[in-house]
Amino acid sequence: MKSYRKELWFNTPRRRDYINITPTVEQCLAESGIREGLVLVNAMHITASVFINDDESGLHHDFEAWLEKLAPEKPHSQYQHNGNEDNADAHLKRQVMGREVVAAVTDGKLDLGPWEQIFYGEFDGMRRKRVLVKIVGE
Ligand code: ZN
């Protein structure tokens, strides 16, 4: 069995952002040389997500509005977590959007559905953060 590991770094200019990382994951897969197996992509931080959905800007605005309804960023004082920090909302948003995705690798390609794209979801950005890509197979 072959195994491949890479860390991807992000530093978003905004507190919240969605980045399509599908091309980067495809590049990792090509580097790995793995033709059949599984790819795991996970945020290495507890205020960011990796998830699969549509690359459609209206939907990304909808995510933003929906998550702000569920866990509004402000006022910061509404959260017990916010003493030395102001990112309680980011922890909650990440919990809803998920930590990781696992995708099948078939014939050297990501075996995704027709509209499935892999995203990095940032909820407490403007600092350097990482995503782990792990690919196993043969
Ligand atoms: Zn925190």
Side-chain angles (χ1 to χ4, degrees), residues 21-120:
I21 59 171
T22 314
T24 312
V25 176
E26 283 169 342
Q27 201 181 317
C28 292
L29 182 55
E31 275 173 28
S32 77
I34 290 169
R35 308 280 305 164
E36 296 291 328
L38 291 172
V39 54
L40 164 74
V41 189
N42 68 265
M44 297 180 82
H45 300 263
I46 51 183
T47 52
S49 290
V50 175
F51 63 92
I52 290 181
N53 217 304
D54 195 0
D55 193 1
E56 196 278 306
S57 61
L59 180 65
H60 298 173
H61 283 108
D62 294 339
F63 282 145
E64 168 65 16
W66 179 62
L67 290 168
E68 268 296 287
K69 246 185 250 173
L70 286 175
E73 179 192 339
K74 292 173 180 163
H76 292 145
S77 61
Q78 72 189 301
Y79 300 107
Q80 291 195 23
H81 179 68
N82 287 344
N84 302 317
E85 293 191 280
D86 67 357
N87 65 2
D89 71 300
H91 289 277
L92 297 173
K93 286 165 174 139
R94 172 263 167 77
Q95 202 63 32
V96 169
M97 297 301 280
R99 171 183 181 264
E100 80 275 306
V101 302
V102 176
V105 175
T106 304
D107 203 17
K109 298 226 157 47
L110 291 176
D111 203 343
L112 298 172
W115 297 104
E116 287 189 317
Q117 295 285 295
I118 305 171
F119 289 89
Y120 176 64

